[in-house]
Amino acid sequence: MASIDNSDHDKTDGAQGRAEEEAEVRAATEAALLDAFGGVLGMVETTVPGLVFVVIYTINHDIKSSALAALALSVVLGVARLARKDTLKHAFSGVFGIAFGALFAMMSGNAKNFYLPGMLYTLGLGVAYVVSSLAGFPLLGLILGPVFKENLSWRTRNPGRLRAYTKASWAWGLILLAKSAILFPLYWWGNATQLGWVKVALGIPPFLLSVYLTWIFLVKAPAPIDVIAEMEAAEQERKAEKERDKAAKAAAEQAYK
């Protein structure tokens, strides 16, 4: 009877251990995605300046004031990131994107060109996700591998994560290409106001869908191999071996004396 009780207890401990491990994987995946893609503030940076531009342009149809207002807001958001000690990548990527759009729009006199740099970036990124997946080097693995401290180990030592990164990269690629398929016809045949409002509407939902699918694929994948920890452990072992050799040499010299 006692053995049955112990068996039940072991099963409970095992289930609890698996649940805790799954919770850790989920938390680590969520943290990695937030770090890689800029979190909530990243969504604000990619959406709100464009919203400011289209609102002001809809009211006064003045490209310069609309572009400068959007750029000023983007700079404020970048400074806010610096104040929070975020990475320079997140702090300046949004500012540069808005700055290029504002410059293109004001130089060309075409308000639709405010959105063109971002649209070209989205199209190029979508193609990169698809091509990298076909080539066996899914882009999402290259982005998230260093965040998970696994570097490229997922490609040669962890086939389950390679499959997860490939699926997630396909998801990102197809979603971004679908977004481009909606926006470019509006750029060619629509007006600036139509393009602006549709681009704002397509700012956050596709991003959230891509991140959600990535999270689904990764939490079901095997845990990452922490190659940084492996290298540190190997270095510690080398140091310990040197110390042992040094101690053995000293002992041998002492015994010789």
Side-chain angles (χ1 to χ4, degrees):
M1 187 68 179
S3 62
I4 296 176
D5 291 340
N6 288 335
S7 176
D8 291 341
H9 182 68
D10 291 341
K11 290 180 180 178
T12 301
D13 287 346
Q16 183 177 356
R18 285 193 297 272
E20 291 177 352
E21 183 178 350
E22 290 176 0
E24 290 178 0
V25 171
R26 289 172 183 266
T29 302
E30 291 170 3
L33 290 175
L34 286 174
D35 179 66
F37 298 113
V40 175
L41 187 54
M43 290 187 285
V44 172
E45 289 167 339
T46 57
T47 304
V48 176
L51 176 61
V52 168
F53 179 89
V54 72
V55 167
I56 296 177
Y57 185 78
T58 300
I59 294 171
N60 63 16
H61 292 282
D62 181 67
I63 295 174
K64 184 175 181 180
S65 62
S66 304
L68 291 178
L71 180 58
L73 176 59
S74 183
V75 170
V76 169
L77 293 173
V79 171
R81 274 202 181 272
L82 291 178
R84 295 173 54 189
K85 298 182 179 180
D86 282 357
T87 61
L88 294 178
K89 174 188 72 174
H90 292 321
F92 291 115
S93 59
V95 176
F96 287 146
I98 297 299
F100 280 125
L103 183 63
F104 285 1
M106 288 189 291
M107 288 182 63
S108 66
N110 186 348
K112 289 190 289 186
N113 285 336
F114 175 81
Y115 303 104
L116 186 58
M119 291 168 56
L120 292 173
Y121 175 77
T122 297
L123 177 61
L125 191 59
V127 171
Y129 274 118
V130 171
V131 171
S132 66
S133 298
L134 291 172
F137 262 100
L139 181 58
L140 205 66
L142 300 177
I143 294 172
L144 293 181
V147 179
F148 281 112
K149 299 180 181 181
E150 59 183 335
N151 293 342
L152 291 177
S153 64
W154 51 267
R155 191 171 187 274
T156 56
R157 299 171 56 192
N158 205 336
R161 287 189 74 79
L162 172 58
R163 288 191 295 271
Y165 282 136
T166 301
K167 291 177 182 178
S169 294
W170 270 109
W172 277 89
L174 294 177
I175 289 170
L176 293 178
L177 290 178
K179 181 178 176 180
S180 296
I182 296 171
L183 292 176
F184 274 98
L186 283 173
Y187 175 80
W188 290 319
W189 297 301
N191 60 49
T193 302
Q194 292 171 334
L195 176 62
W197 286 112
V198 173
K199 191 172 188 304
V200 168
L202 291 178
I204 294 179
F207 175 81
L208 290 179
L209 176 59
S210 301
V211 171
Y212 176 71
L213 291 175
T214 301
W215 181 80
I216 290 293
F217 293 136
L218 290 182
V219 296
K220 294 180 179 180
I225 298 171
D226 191 338
V227 296
I228 305 300
E230 287 182 345
M231 289 188 290
E232 291 175 350
E235 181 62 25
Q236 291 295 327
E237 179 60 28
R238 282 194 293 269
K239 289 181 179 180
E241 186 175 352
K242 287 181 180 179
E243 290 296 326
R244 288 193 296 269
D245 290 343
K246 185 177 179 180
K249 185 178 180 180
E253 291 176 351
Q254 186 67 28
Y256 180 76
K257 291 178 180 179

